[in-house]
Amino acid sequence: MYLKSIRLHNYRNYEDLELNLNPGVNIFLGANGQGKTNLMEAVYYLAVGNNFRGNRDLELINWQKNYFRIHGQFKKEKSNRLFDLEVYLDKNKKKQIKINGVKAKSIGDLHGNLQVVLFSPDDLKIIKGSPSERRKYLDTEICQMDKGYYKLIRQYERVLQQRSNLLKDIRYRHFGKEQLEVWNNYLVEYGSKIIFKRIELLKSLVPLARNIQHDLTENKEKFTVTYQSSLGAIGDFSVEEISEVFSHILREKEKEEIERGLNLWGPHRDDLIFYLNGKELKKYGSQGQQRTGILALKMAEIQIFHHKYGEYPLLLLDDVMSELDDKRRAYLIDLVNEKKIQSIITGANIELVTQKILKDEVFQIKEGKIIK
Protein backbone atom coordinates (compact mmCIF):
# COMPACT_ATOMS: atom_id res chain seq x y z
CA MET A 1 0.00 0.00 0.00
CA TYR A 2 1.15 3.56 -0.51
CA LEU A 3 -0.13 7.05 0.19
CA LYS A 4 -0.42 8.74 -3.22
CA SER A 5 -1.24 12.25 -2.07
CA ILE A 6 -2.08 14.32 0.99
CA ARG A 7 -3.69 17.74 1.28
CA LEU A 8 -3.63 19.91 4.39
CA HIS A 9 -5.81 22.93 5.14
CA ASN A 10 -4.95 24.99 8.23
CA TYR A 11 -3.11 22.12 9.90
CA ARG A 12 -0.42 23.50 12.22
CA ASN A 13 1.77 25.75 10.02
CA TYR A 14 0.33 24.44 6.74
CA GLU A 15 -2.39 26.75 5.43
CA ASP A 16 -2.87 25.01 2.10
CA LEU A 17 -0.58 22.18 1.04
CA GLU A 18 -1.12 19.63 -1.70
CA LEU A 19 1.60 17.02 -1.95
CA ASN A 20 2.11 14.02 -4.24
CA LEU A 21 4.29 11.30 -2.79
CA ASN A 22 6.58 8.71 -4.32
CA PRO A 23 5.58 5.06 -3.82
CA GLY A 24 9.08 4.42 -2.44
CA VAL A 25 11.25 6.79 -0.42
CA ASN A 26 10.24 10.38 0.41
CA ILE A 27 12.82 12.45 2.28
CA PHE A 28 11.93 15.82 3.82
CA LEU A 29 14.79 18.06 4.91
CA GLY A 30 14.63 21.25 6.90
CA ALA A 31 15.72 23.08 10.02
CA ASN A 32 13.83 22.71 13.29
CA GLY A 33 10.46 24.44 13.45
CA GLN A 34 9.78 24.42 9.70
CA GLY A 35 7.04 21.76 9.70
CA LYS A 36 8.74 18.39 9.18
CA THR A 37 7.13 16.71 12.15
CA ASN A 38 3.82 18.50 11.50
CA LEU A 39 3.65 16.79 8.11
CA MET A 40 4.50 13.42 9.64
CA GLU A 41 1.89 13.98 12.34
CA ALA A 42 -0.79 14.75 9.73
CA VAL A 43 -0.10 11.47 7.89
CA TYR A 44 -0.27 9.60 11.19
CA TYR A 45 -3.52 11.36 12.12
CA LEU A 46 -5.06 10.30 8.82
CA ALA A 47 -4.34 6.66 9.69
CA VAL A 48 -4.95 6.53 13.44
CA GLY A 49 -7.23 9.46 14.27
CA ASN A 50 -4.99 11.20 16.79
CA ASN A 51 -1.56 12.81 16.91
CA PHE A 52 1.49 11.07 18.33
CA ARG A 53 2.82 14.06 20.27
CA GLY A 54 -0.06 14.11 22.74
CA ASN A 55 -1.51 17.51 21.81
CA ARG A 56 -5.22 18.18 22.11
CA ASP A 57 -7.04 18.26 18.79
CA LEU A 58 -7.81 21.99 19.00
CA GLU A 59 -4.08 22.73 19.26
CA LEU A 60 -3.59 21.27 15.76
CA ILE A 61 -5.66 24.02 14.10
CA ASN A 62 -3.59 26.86 12.62
CA TRP A 63 -3.90 29.59 15.26
CA GLN A 64 -5.29 32.10 12.72
CA LYS A 65 -7.99 29.73 11.42
CA ASN A 66 -11.18 28.08 12.67
CA TYR A 67 -10.73 24.54 11.39
CA PHE A 68 -8.32 22.03 9.88
CA ARG A 69 -8.84 19.41 7.19
CA ILE A 70 -6.59 16.50 6.20
CA HIS A 71 -7.38 14.66 2.99
CA GLY A 72 -5.43 11.73 1.60
CA GLN A 73 -5.64 9.23 -1.24
CA PHE A 74 -3.96 5.86 -1.00
CA LYS A 75 -3.66 2.73 -3.07
CA LYS A 76 -3.62 -0.88 -2.01
CA GLU A 77 -1.22 -3.33 -3.60
CA LYS A 78 -3.84 -5.67 -5.04
CA SER A 79 -6.25 -2.99 -6.25
CA ASN A 80 -6.20 -0.32 -8.95
CA ARG A 81 -8.67 1.76 -7.00
CA LEU A 82 -7.82 4.95 -5.11
CA PHE A 83 -9.16 5.11 -1.55
CA ASP A 84 -10.08 8.43 0.11
CA LEU A 85 -9.68 9.43 3.76
CA GLU A 86 -10.63 12.80 5.22
CA VAL A 87 -10.55 14.25 8.74
CA TYR A 88 -12.13 17.61 9.61
CA LEU A 89 -12.13 19.44 12.96
CA ASP A 90 -13.25 22.95 13.88
CA LYS A 91 -12.92 25.11 16.98
CA ASN A 92 -16.44 24.16 18.06
CA LYS A 93 -15.03 20.64 18.49
CA LYS A 94 -17.03 19.32 15.57
CA LYS A 95 -15.06 16.37 14.25
CA GLN A 96 -15.95 14.56 11.05
CA ILE A 97 -14.30 11.58 9.38
CA LYS A 98 -15.08 10.49 5.84
CA ILE A 99 -14.01 7.22 4.25
CA ASN A 100 -14.45 7.19 0.48
CA GLY A 101 -16.83 10.14 0.85
CA VAL A 102 -19.04 8.44 3.46
CA LYS A 103 -19.26 9.84 7.00
CA ALA A 104 -17.82 7.48 9.59
CA LYS A 105 -19.52 6.89 12.92
CA SER A 106 -16.37 6.93 15.04
CA ILE A 107 -12.58 7.12 14.96
CA GLY A 108 -12.57 3.33 15.09
CA ASP A 109 -13.89 3.23 11.51
CA LEU A 110 -10.68 4.95 10.39
CA HIS A 111 -8.48 2.16 11.67
CA GLY A 112 -7.36 -0.57 9.30
CA ASN A 113 -7.56 1.57 6.16
CA LEU A 114 -4.17 3.27 5.85
CA GLN A 115 -1.73 1.36 8.07
CA VAL A 116 1.37 3.08 9.40
CA VAL A 117 4.37 2.24 11.55
CA LEU A 118 5.93 5.28 13.22
CA PHE A 119 9.46 5.53 14.63
CA SER A 120 10.27 8.84 16.35
CA PRO A 121 12.63 10.06 19.11
CA ASP A 122 9.65 10.17 21.49
CA ASP A 123 9.30 6.39 21.16
CA LEU A 124 11.91 6.01 23.88
CA LYS A 125 9.00 6.76 26.24
CA ILE A 126 7.71 3.27 25.46
CA ILE A 127 10.62 1.93 27.50
CA LYS A 128 11.57 4.87 29.72
CA GLY A 129 8.13 6.35 30.36
CA SER A 130 5.18 5.41 32.54
CA PRO A 131 3.10 2.21 32.20
CA SER A 132 0.36 4.28 30.51
CA GLU A 133 2.79 5.03 27.63
CA ARG A 134 3.38 1.31 27.10
CA ARG A 135 -0.33 0.47 27.27
CA LYS A 136 -1.04 3.25 24.76
CA TYR A 137 1.60 1.88 22.39
CA LEU A 138 0.16 -1.62 22.54
CA ASP A 139 -3.47 -0.49 22.18
CA THR A 140 -2.68 1.77 19.20
CA GLU A 141 -1.07 -1.09 17.30
CA ILE A 142 -3.96 -3.45 18.04
CA CYS A 143 -6.48 -0.81 16.88
CA GLN A 144 -4.82 -0.75 13.45
CA MET A 145 -5.12 -4.54 13.16
CA ASP A 146 -8.48 -5.13 14.84
CA LYS A 147 -11.32 -2.76 13.92
CA GLY A 148 -13.40 -3.75 16.95
CA TYR A 149 -10.66 -3.04 19.47
CA TYR A 150 -11.16 0.74 19.61
CA LYS A 151 -14.82 0.24 20.59
CA LEU A 152 -13.76 -2.33 23.19
CA ILE A 153 -11.31 0.13 24.77
CA ARG A 154 -13.95 2.88 24.88
CA GLN A 155 -16.49 0.50 26.48
CA TYR A 156 -13.96 -0.51 29.13
CA GLU A 157 -13.09 3.13 29.90
CA ARG A 158 -16.75 4.04 30.37
CA VAL A 159 -17.31 1.10 32.72
CA LEU A 160 -14.14 1.99 34.59
CA GLN A 161 -15.40 5.53 35.19
CA GLN A 162 -18.88 4.38 36.29
CA ARG A 163 -17.42 1.77 38.63
CA SER A 164 -14.99 4.31 40.08
CA ASN A 165 -17.87 6.66 40.88
CA LEU A 166 -19.80 3.79 42.46
CA LEU A 167 -16.85 2.75 44.66
CA LYS A 168 -16.62 6.32 45.95
CA ASP A 169 -20.39 6.40 46.64
CA ILE A 170 -20.14 3.16 48.60
CA ARG A 171 -17.17 4.46 50.57
CA TYR A 172 -18.34 7.98 51.39
CA ARG A 173 -22.15 7.80 51.15
CA HIS A 174 -22.70 4.16 52.10
CA PHE A 175 -25.09 3.33 49.28
CA GLY A 176 -25.06 1.56 45.92
CA LYS A 177 -23.23 -1.60 46.92
CA GLU A 178 -25.97 -3.78 45.37
CA GLN A 179 -24.99 -2.35 41.94
CA LEU A 180 -21.36 -3.39 42.23
CA GLU A 181 -21.82 -6.90 40.84
CA VAL A 182 -23.38 -5.55 37.63
CA TRP A 183 -20.39 -3.28 36.96
CA ASN A 184 -18.01 -6.06 37.95
CA ASN A 185 -19.49 -8.22 35.22
CA TYR A 186 -19.01 -5.52 32.57
CA LEU A 187 -15.46 -4.80 33.79
CA VAL A 188 -14.55 -8.47 33.56
CA GLU A 189 -16.20 -8.95 30.16
CA TYR A 190 -14.40 -6.06 28.44
CA GLY A 191 -11.19 -6.20 30.47
CA SER A 192 -10.54 -9.89 29.85
CA LYS A 193 -10.84 -9.43 26.09
CA ILE A 194 -8.41 -6.50 26.18
CA ILE A 195 -5.82 -8.47 28.14
CA PHE A 196 -6.17 -11.48 25.83
CA LYS A 197 -5.74 -9.39 22.66
CA ARG A 198 -2.70 -7.61 24.08
CA ILE A 199 -1.00 -10.88 24.98
CA GLU A 200 -1.85 -12.41 21.60
CA LEU A 201 -0.14 -9.51 19.79
CA LEU A 202 2.95 -9.87 21.97
CA LYS A 203 3.14 -13.58 21.18
CA SER A 204 3.59 -12.64 17.51
CA LEU A 205 5.59 -9.46 18.00
CA VAL A 206 8.24 -10.45 20.54
CA PRO A 207 9.83 -13.44 18.69
CA LEU A 208 10.18 -11.31 15.54
CA ALA A 209 11.68 -8.41 17.51
CA ARG A 210 14.06 -10.80 19.27
CA ASN A 211 15.39 -12.08 15.92
CA ILE A 212 15.83 -8.55 14.59
CA GLN A 213 17.71 -7.56 17.76
CA HIS A 214 20.01 -10.56 17.21
CA ASP A 215 20.74 -9.36 13.66
CA LEU A 216 21.37 -5.78 14.73
CA THR A 217 23.77 -6.76 17.53
CA GLU A 218 25.44 -9.79 15.89
CA ASN A 219 23.75 -12.13 18.40
CA LYS A 220 25.29 -10.28 21.37
CA GLU A 221 21.98 -9.16 22.87
CA LYS A 222 18.92 -11.18 23.83
CA PHE A 223 15.81 -9.02 23.82
CA THR A 224 12.40 -9.93 25.19
CA VAL A 225 9.21 -8.33 26.48
CA THR A 226 6.79 -9.68 29.08
CA TYR A 227 3.23 -8.65 29.85
CA GLN A 228 2.85 -7.84 33.54
CA SER A 229 -0.80 -8.25 34.46
CA SER A 230 -2.37 -7.02 37.69
CA LEU A 231 -4.21 -10.37 37.67
CA GLY A 232 -1.02 -12.41 37.94
CA ALA A 233 0.47 -15.03 35.60
CA ILE A 234 -2.16 -15.47 32.87
CA GLY A 235 0.01 -15.53 29.73
CA ASP A 236 -1.40 -18.77 28.29
CA PHE A 237 -4.98 -18.35 29.50
CA SER A 238 -8.06 -18.21 27.28
CA VAL A 239 -10.49 -15.29 27.55
CA GLU A 240 -12.76 -17.47 29.71
CA GLU A 241 -9.91 -18.40 32.06
CA ILE A 242 -8.84 -14.76 32.36
CA SER A 243 -12.46 -13.83 33.16
CA GLU A 244 -12.60 -16.44 35.90
CA VAL A 245 -9.40 -15.13 37.54
CA PHE A 246 -10.55 -11.52 37.16
CA SER A 247 -13.95 -12.22 38.77
CA HIS A 248 -12.34 -14.09 41.66
CA ILE A 249 -9.94 -11.21 42.40
CA LEU A 250 -12.75 -8.63 42.36
CA ARG A 251 -14.75 -10.67 44.84
CA GLU A 252 -11.74 -11.33 47.06
CA LYS A 253 -10.46 -7.72 47.01
CA GLU A 254 -13.83 -5.95 47.14
CA LYS A 255 -13.26 -4.50 50.61
CA GLU A 256 -9.87 -3.06 49.63
CA GLU A 257 -11.26 -1.37 46.50
CA ILE A 258 -14.14 0.16 48.48
CA GLU A 259 -11.80 1.42 51.21
CA ARG A 260 -9.61 3.13 48.63
CA GLY A 261 -12.40 4.12 46.23
CA LEU A 262 -10.31 2.93 43.26
CA ASN A 263 -10.34 0.31 40.49
CA LEU A 264 -7.24 -1.61 41.52
CA TRP A 265 -7.29 -4.55 39.10
CA GLY A 266 -7.67 -4.82 35.35
CA PRO A 267 -5.87 -3.98 32.08
CA HIS A 268 -5.67 -0.29 33.04
CA ARG A 269 -3.15 -1.38 35.70
CA ASP A 270 -1.03 -3.60 33.45
CA ASP A 271 2.45 -2.97 32.09
CA LEU A 272 5.10 -4.18 29.66
CA ILE A 273 8.56 -5.08 30.96
CA PHE A 274 11.48 -5.00 28.52
CA TYR A 275 14.53 -7.17 29.14
CA LEU A 276 17.97 -7.26 27.56
CA ASN A 277 20.25 -10.18 28.42
CA GLY A 278 18.03 -10.99 31.39
CA LYS A 279 18.16 -7.48 32.90
CA GLU A 280 15.42 -4.88 32.83
CA LEU A 281 16.15 -2.58 29.90
CA LYS A 282 14.56 0.49 31.50
CA LYS A 283 16.85 0.31 34.53
CA TYR A 284 20.09 -1.12 33.17
CA GLY A 285 20.17 -0.50 29.41
CA SER A 286 21.95 2.40 27.75
CA GLN A 287 19.97 4.83 25.62
CA GLY A 288 21.47 3.22 22.52
CA GLN A 289 20.32 -0.22 23.64
CA GLN A 290 16.85 1.12 24.43
CA ARG A 291 16.63 2.73 21.00
CA THR A 292 17.72 -0.53 19.34
CA GLY A 293 14.99 -2.36 21.25
CA ILE A 294 12.36 0.09 19.95
CA LEU A 295 13.74 -0.23 16.41
CA ALA A 296 13.44 -4.02 16.65
CA LEU A 297 9.82 -3.68 17.79
CA LYS A 298 8.95 -1.32 14.94
CA MET A 299 10.52 -3.56 12.31
CA ALA A 300 8.64 -6.52 13.79
CA GLU A 301 5.38 -4.56 13.45
CA ILE A 302 6.06 -4.15 9.72
CA GLN A 303 6.39 -7.93 9.35
CA ILE A 304 3.16 -8.55 11.26
CA PHE A 305 1.24 -6.12 9.03
CA HIS A 306 2.62 -7.84 5.95
CA HIS A 307 1.71 -11.27 7.27
CA LYS A 308 -1.83 -10.16 8.13
CA TYR A 309 -2.67 -8.05 5.06
CA GLY A 310 -0.26 -9.26 2.39
CA GLU A 311 1.23 -5.78 1.98
CA TYR A 312 3.53 -3.48 3.87
CA PRO A 313 2.39 -0.46 5.91
CA LEU A 314 3.63 3.07 5.37
CA LEU A 315 6.82 3.61 7.39
CA LEU A 316 7.22 7.00 9.11
CA LEU A 317 10.74 7.83 10.32
CA ASP A 318 10.58 11.18 12.08
CA ASP A 319 14.02 12.65 12.68
CA VAL A 320 15.50 9.37 13.94
CA MET A 321 18.35 8.77 11.49
CA SER A 322 20.68 11.06 13.44
CA GLU A 323 19.92 8.99 16.56
CA LEU A 324 21.05 5.71 14.95
CA ASP A 325 24.55 4.48 14.21
CA ASP A 326 25.67 3.55 10.69
CA LYS A 327 24.72 -0.11 11.03
CA ARG A 328 21.17 0.57 12.18
CA ARG A 329 20.62 3.24 9.53
CA ALA A 330 21.86 0.83 6.88
CA TYR A 331 19.54 -1.90 8.23
CA LEU A 332 16.54 0.40 7.90
CA ILE A 333 17.34 1.62 4.41
CA ASP A 334 18.17 -1.86 3.15
CA LEU A 335 14.83 -3.12 4.49
CA VAL A 336 12.95 -0.26 2.84
CA ASN A 337 14.66 -0.85 -0.51
CA GLU A 338 14.45 -4.64 -0.44
CA LYS A 339 10.76 -4.81 0.53
CA LYS A 340 9.77 -1.71 -1.49
CA ILE A 341 8.14 -0.12 1.57
CA GLN A 342 6.84 3.40 1.11
CA SER A 343 8.68 5.57 3.61
CA ILE A 344 8.48 9.16 4.76
CA ILE A 345 11.76 10.22 6.34
CA THR A 346 12.47 13.59 7.96
CA GLY A 347 15.82 15.01 8.97
CA ALA A 348 18.11 18.01 8.91
CA ASN A 349 21.03 16.44 7.03
CA ILE A 350 20.73 14.32 3.90
CA GLU A 351 24.01 12.54 4.68
CA LEU A 352 22.45 11.05 7.80
CA VAL A 353 19.72 9.44 5.74
CA THR A 354 21.45 7.50 2.98
CA GLN A 355 23.67 7.82 -0.04
CA LYS A 356 21.22 5.80 -2.18
CA ILE A 357 18.86 8.65 -3.04
CA LEU A 358 17.21 9.75 -6.25
CA LYS A 359 16.76 13.49 -6.72
CA ASP A 360 12.99 13.12 -7.11
CA GLU A 361 12.74 11.55 -3.67
CA VAL A 362 14.03 14.60 -1.79
CA PHE A 363 11.94 17.57 -0.63
CA GLN A 364 12.82 20.69 1.34
CA ILE A 365 10.51 22.16 3.96
CA LYS A 366 10.72 25.81 4.91
CA GLU A 367 8.08 27.71 6.89
CA GLY A 368 5.29 25.33 5.92
CA LYS A 369 6.22 25.30 2.24
CA ILE A 370 7.51 22.19 0.47
CA ILE A 371 9.84 22.32 -2.52
CA LYS A 372 10.75 19.24 -4.53
Side-chain angles (χ1 to χ4, degrees):
M1 105 174 15
Y2 80 93
L3 183 63
K4 186 176 183 293
S5 65
I6 187 166
R7 186 162 190 175
L8 307 181
H9 285 288
N10 308 328
Y11 187 89
R12 298 281 200 179
N13 67 330
Y14 293 100
E15 289 190 29
D16 190 6
L17 170 72
E18 189 165 4
L19 180 65
N20 293 317
L21 296 164
N22 298 304
V25 175
N26 299 266
I27 298 170
F28 294 88
L29 302 174
N32 291 337
Q34 302 305 302
K36 300 191 304 293
T37 299
N38 292 346
L39 174 64
M40 192 76 81
E41 181 186 73
V43 175
Y44 184 87
Y45 201 109
L46 198 61
V48 178
N50 58 55
N51 78 88
F52 59 82
R53 288 189 283 185
N55 299 89
R56 295 185 303 116
D57 278 350
L58 291 179
E59 295 170 350
L60 308 179
I61 301 173
N62 185 297
W63 68 278
Q64 296 175 315
K65 306 296 181 180
N66 294 316
Y67 73 94
F68 78 70
R69 179 180 283 111
I70 309 170
H71 175 261
Q73 289 189 318
F74 69 97
K75 231 174 145 286
K76 294 188 176 181
E77 199 169 298
K78 298 176 183 178
S79 172
N80 293 321
R81 169 182 180 187
L82 276 177
F83 295 84
D84 267 71
L85 295 176
E86 183 179 310
V87 180
Y88 167 92
L89 180 89
D90 61 33
K91 287 190 174 179
N92 294 321
K93 298 185 179 180
K94 178 187 175 185
K95 190 171 187 177
Q96 188 177 93
I97 295 168
K98 289 184 180 179
I99 302 170
N100 296 322
V102 179
K103 290 181 184 179
K105 294 180 180 178
S106 77
I107 291 174
D109 294 329
L110 198 59
H111 300 147
N113 289 284
L114 176 68
Q115 284 112 18
V116 298
V117 170
L118 168 74
F119 186 26
S120 78
D122 285 347
D123 284 335
L124 274 180
K125 291 189 295 187
I126 297 171
I127 291 177
K128 298 173 72 172
S130 66
S132 64
E133 294 284 352
R134 291 181 281 280
R135 292 192 297 267
K136 179 183 176 182
Y137 157 70
L138 208 52
D139 290 339
T140 299
E141 300 317 310
I142 299 173
C143 279
Q144 288 200 79
M145 301 179 197
D146 183 339
K147 288 187 78 71
Y149 190 73
Y150 177 81
K151 181 180 179 181
L152 182 62
I153 289 288
R154 299 284 84 80
Q155 287 173 321
Y156 183 78
E157 289 175 346
R158 285 193 291 269
V159 170
L160 206 60
Q161 185 59 56
Q162 293 289 341
R163 190 172 183 272
S164 176
N165 294 338
L166 179 60
L167 287 170
K168 289 179 174 63
D169 282 342
I170 296 171
R171 179 186 179 188
Y172 296 110
R173 302 176 187 177
H174 307 292
F175 74 87
K177 190 174 180 180
E178 68 282 355
Q179 302 174 33
L180 192 56
E181 186 176 351
V182 174
W183 291 109
N184 285 357
N185 291 338
Y186 283 126
L187 195 75
V188 168
E189 178 186 349
Y190 302 140
S192 299
K193 291 176 183 176
I194 289 170
I195 292 170
F196 180 79
K197 288 177 182 289
R198 286 176 178 175
I199 293 173
E200 284 298 293
L201 175 60
L202 288 175
K203 284 178 180 178
S204 300
L205 188 66
V206 174
L208 292 172
R210 186 183 297 125
N211 291 337
I212 293 168
Q213 183 91 0
H214 279 181
D215 291 343
L216 288 170
T217 62
E218 298 176 346
N219 295 327
K220 293 177 183 177
E221 295 179 356
K222 184 180 179 182
F223 175 75
T224 194
V225 186
T226 62
Y227 188 82
Q228 187 177 68
S229 173
S230 59
L231 306 183
I234 52 171
D236 294 318
F237 284 17
S238 66
V239 174
E240 291 74 22
E241 289 170 326
I242 295 172
S243 297
E244 191 175 325
V245 172
F246 201 169
S247 296
H248 175 75
I249 288 175
L250 292 183
R251 288 193 299 269
E252 191 177 62
K253 304 292 185 177
E254 179 182 289
K255 183 178 178 182
E256 184 177 349
E257 285 194 308
I258 291 172
E259 285 176 350
R260 297 180 62 181
L262 294 171
N263 296 293
L264 298 177
W265 285 272
H268 63 290
R269 293 277 182 169
D270 293 354
D271 199 359
L272 297 180
I273 310 296
F274 296 82
Y275 293 96
L276 192 67
N277 297 331
K279 294 182 178 179
E280 193 172 335
L281 186 54
K282 180 179 180 178
K283 294 179 180 177
Y284 302 105
S286 68
Q287 187 155 299
Q289 288 173 321
Q290 292 171 352
R291 188 169 283 111
T292 300
I294 296 298
L295 176 59
L297 276 180
K298 299 294 180 175
M299 297 304 99
E301 286 173 39
I302 288 175
Q303 293 185 35
I304 288 177
F305 274 116
H306 185 259
H307 178 74
K308 184 175 179 67
Y309 296 103
E311 55 187 347
Y312 290 103
L314 171 56
L315 178 60
L316 307 178
L317 302 173
D318 184 34
D319 212 14
V320 295
M321 289 302 189
S322 62
E323 307 288 337
L324 301 173
D325 60 24
D326 291 343
K327 182 174 181 178
R328 285 152 183 76
R329 282 200 299 271
Y331 182 93
L332 263 177
I333 296 303
D334 287 346
L335 178 71
V336 165
N337 288 333
E338 178 191 345
K339 306 297 185 183
K340 295 181 173 57
I341 301 170
Q342 187 186 28
S343 306
I344 298 177
I345 304 171
T346 64
N349 189 336
I350 199 168
E351 293 176 3
L352 288 174
V353 180
T354 175
Q355 300 298 322
K356 308 170 185 176
I357 303 173
L358 298 175
K359 187 177 180 181
D360 288 345
E361 296 173 332
V362 183
F363 303 80
Q364 183 165 6
I365 298 182
K366 188 173 183 180
E367 296 178 352
K369 307 294 182 185
I370 296 181
I371 306 164
K372 199 164 188 177

